[in-house]
Amino acid sequence: MGSLTCTASDLVPLLSSSSSANATALATFLCTRFSTISNQLSDSTHAIDNTYLLFSAYLVFAMQLGFAMLCAGSVRAKNTMNIMLTNVLDAAAGALSYYLFGYAFAFGAPSNGFIGRHHFGLKTFPTETTDYSFFLYQWAFAIAAAGITSGSIAERTQFVAYLIYSSFLTGFVYPVVSHWFWSGDGWASATRTDNLLFGSGVIDFAGSGVVHMVGGIAGLWGALIEGPRIGRFDRAGRSVALRGHSASLVVLGTFLLWFGWYGFNPGSFLTIVKGYGDGGGYYGQWSAIGRTAVTTTMAGCTAALTTLFSKRLLVGHWNVIDVCNGLLGGFAAITSGCAVVEPWAAIICGFVASWVLIGFNKLASKLKYDDPLEAAQLHGGCGAWGLLFTGLFATKSYVNEVYPGQPGRPYGLFMGGGGKLLGAQIIQILVIIGWVTATMGPLFYALNKMKLLRISREDETAGMDMTRHGGFAYVYHDEEDLSFRPGFMMTKIEPTNASPNSDQVQRSPSVNV
């Protein structure tokens, strides 16, 4: 919004008066009024933008409830309390670590291209460019990455390991990545004012790479080092489904995540009161925010429907769990380019994301990789596809609106913008895989060597709710839990046509006192 400025010397020549003193006084009075209006408009703009960002932060934080419900429904009932507690832990431990270190490493400008170095513990905060609402929003993103990782290592991980990895991920690993691609000082950021990577920088608008790939790759290493759950593969190496205990919780969690994604993607604009061009028209950043919500919806819904029919053809039935995972895979993929692509392109994104998830799940089964929530495949695999998708389908006009000030910036390859943006996106995929592997891999390996990572075989068989958390979440009969069964079972067969003898006397069951 342009500022309203006025000085008395500007108005005096325009005022006809017999008295120069009166003209000056009148001009001063008018300028004072203009200045007051300008200040009030500026205050209103900041208030509206901060309210919008706070509301978006609340939506993203509500995704933690979605993660908790999704995780709880996807594990067996004997581990429900454990997985829900880890989701609470991700938010709580992540808040302290991100407050003390994470935010400074991510956005502590001025800094170098690798890591931030100011605002530890929110010192000298707020500033002219950032307020507390921005910190809250970025914290909600950080704990989302940690929540993704917890799904990969569910049902077999010690509680202390969650504390250590969650604090390390949100306090160091994730913030460094977000600095690279989102901070104005980051070496690959699209918001840099000079020395852009390939003349473009990386376009990862809401975090297909920064959030989803980081959480997914971290979970991949945790699950690989821990190994599969007991009973996940039989002695012949064949895959055995260890089904979650509640499809209802999975669906509830999916809808909560869907709702929160409208803060995750559209909220990443950070402000809403911003006109494009000369302003004064019906089209502005508020329109781009609405378009981003539409592209997010199209990608998720397309992925859900593609998964529905694809799995029906592959396995012969309609599976709501697969549909929910497909929906989330579409959301994870569109998160990178949601603000710079057309809605029709988002449909392509969701369609391919569905097959990426199906393909990675097939590969995981062949490699005997066990991820109870398919988190590495969904967030890591679909997140990587989302980055490539942006490099292919980013639209010139939208790129220039969202990332202004750099005329001639490259855009999507398939949209006529050349291959530079796609090259930058590939670089992002490679460096995220390398960085997370170099940091989280050794951490999980060290925890495993110190016997702090995986629980004992007895605890895993009995369930962590009983052995580690004082009792089950609720009374249940898990008849399909194969970890309780021996290698083979013999079942007694009762006669089906037996009739009671006439001399038998039926007795009511008695109670021993």
Side-chain angles (χ1 to χ4, degrees), residues 446-499:
L447 290 173
N448 191 49
K449 282 296 184 180
M450 293 186 291
K451 301 187 183 305
L452 295 176
L453 186 60
R454 184 157 186 162
I455 59 175
S456 67
R457 186 179 184 87
E458 293 75 19
D459 286 354
E460 185 175 346
T461 302
M464 283 186 283
D465 286 3
M466 179 60 71
T467 60
R468 301 297 178 98
H469 303 289
F472 294 122
Y474 30 67
V475 177
Y476 77 103
H477 300 284
D478 202 345
E479 297 177 353
E480 294 188 355
D481 190 348
L482 300 180
S483 62
F484 286 109
R485 298 184 180 182
F488 64 93
M489 298 181 66
M490 298 182 64
T491 304
K492 181 180 179 181
I493 301 177
E494 298 288 350
T496 59
N497 58 351
S499 59

Side-chain angles (χ1 to χ4, degrees), residues 72-73 77-78 80-81 84 245-246 249 465 471-477:
K78 63 183 181 181
T80 304
M81 289 180 64
M84 288 195 292
H245 79 282
S246 176
L249 289 178
D465 286 3
F472 294 122
Y474 30 67
V475 177
Y476 77 103
H477 300 284

Side-chain angles (χ1 to χ4, degrees), residues 65-411:
L65 177 57
F67 277 125
M69 296 299 99
L70 181 69
C71 291
S74 299
V75 302
R76 290 164 291 180
K78 63 183 181 181
N79 295 310
T80 304
M81 289 180 64
N82 174 264
I83 196 66
M84 288 195 292
L85 182 58
T86 61
N87 278 271
V88 175
L89 173 66
D90 287 334
L96 291 178
S97 60
Y98 198 73
Y99 166 78
L100 293 173
F101 311 107
Y103 182 85
F105 289 149
F107 299 101
S111 61
N112 55 52
F114 179 77
I115 194 170
R117 56 190 183 193
H118 296 283
H119 305 310
F120 290 96
L122 296 188
K123 188 178 180 181
T124 64
F125 209 79
T127 67
E128 292 183 2
T129 57
T130 53
D131 208 331
Y132 290 104
S133 56
F134 182 71
F135 165 80
L136 192 72
Y137 188 68
Q138 295 301 332
W139 160 71
F141 270 62
I143 61 176
I148 292 167
T149 304
S150 68
S152 294
I153 56 178
E155 296 202 283
R156 59 203 190 275
T157 305
Q158 292 192 47
F159 191 68
V160 66
Y162 281 109
L163 277 171
I164 295 172
Y165 101 77
S166 182
S167 299
F168 184 61
L169 183 67
T170 55
F172 180 66
V173 178
Y174 167 83
V176 170
V177 176
S178 59
H179 179 80
W180 292 349
F181 304 112
W182 285 347
S183 171
D185 296 327
W187 63 269
S189 173
T191 60
R192 287 179 65 95
T193 57
D194 58 358
N195 298 323
L196 289 168
L197 179 64
F198 297 152
S200 167
V202 169
I203 295 182
D204 187 10
F205 182 73
S208 288
V210 174
V211 178
H212 295 282
M213 277 196 68
V214 168
I217 300 300
L220 172 68
W221 282 107
L224 281 175
I225 292 172
E226 275 192 311
R229 292 166 292 172
I230 296 173
R232 180 64 178 84
F233 299 95
D234 64 17
R235 293 181 179 179
R238 291 169 298 192
S239 176
V240 178
L242 300 180
R243 296 184 179 88
H245 79 282
S246 176
S248 300
L249 289 178
V250 171
V251 173
L252 174 61
T254 300
F255 272 111
L256 287 170
L257 289 170
W258 187 344
F259 180 66
W261 235 290
Y262 292 126
F264 206 95
N265 287 3
S268 291
F269 279 93
L270 307 181
T271 61
I272 191 170
V273 184
K274 178 182 178 182
Y276 290 150
D278 296 331
Y282 67 90
Y283 184 77
Q285 190 143 290
W286 50 88
S287 303
I289 288 170
R291 183 185 66 245
T292 299
V294 171
T295 57
T296 301
T297 304
M298 292 298 101
C301 293
T302 303
L305 291 174
T306 304
T307 304
L308 174 69
F309 291 106
S310 299
K311 296 295 285 187
R312 176 66 173 83
L313 294 173
L314 291 172
V315 300
H317 57 265
W318 315 97
N319 191 318
V320 66
I321 306 298
D322 291 334
V323 171
C324 288
N325 284 336
L327 178 84
L328 298 177
F331 287 151
I334 195 60
T335 296
S336 169
C338 55
V340 295
V341 300
E342 295 281 3
W344 61 262
I347 294 175
I348 298 174
C349 177
F351 178 81
V352 177
S354 171
W355 284 104
V356 168
L357 180 58
I358 292 172
F360 273 115
N361 282 336
K362 289 286 186 183
L363 180 62
S365 180
K366 288 184 178 296
L367 297 178
K368 298 180 177 60
Y369 169 77
D370 181 23
D371 187 328
L373 275 88
E374 303 176 6
Q377 303 94 297
L378 193 160
H379 298 277
C382 294
W385 154 243
L387 293 173
L388 297 176
F389 163 79
T390 304
L392 297 173
F393 289 94
T395 303
K396 180 180 180 179
S397 59
Y398 297 156
V399 169
N400 289 328
E401 287 173 357
V402 178
Y403 301 97
Q406 296 287 340
R409 182 193 291 269
Y411 50 99

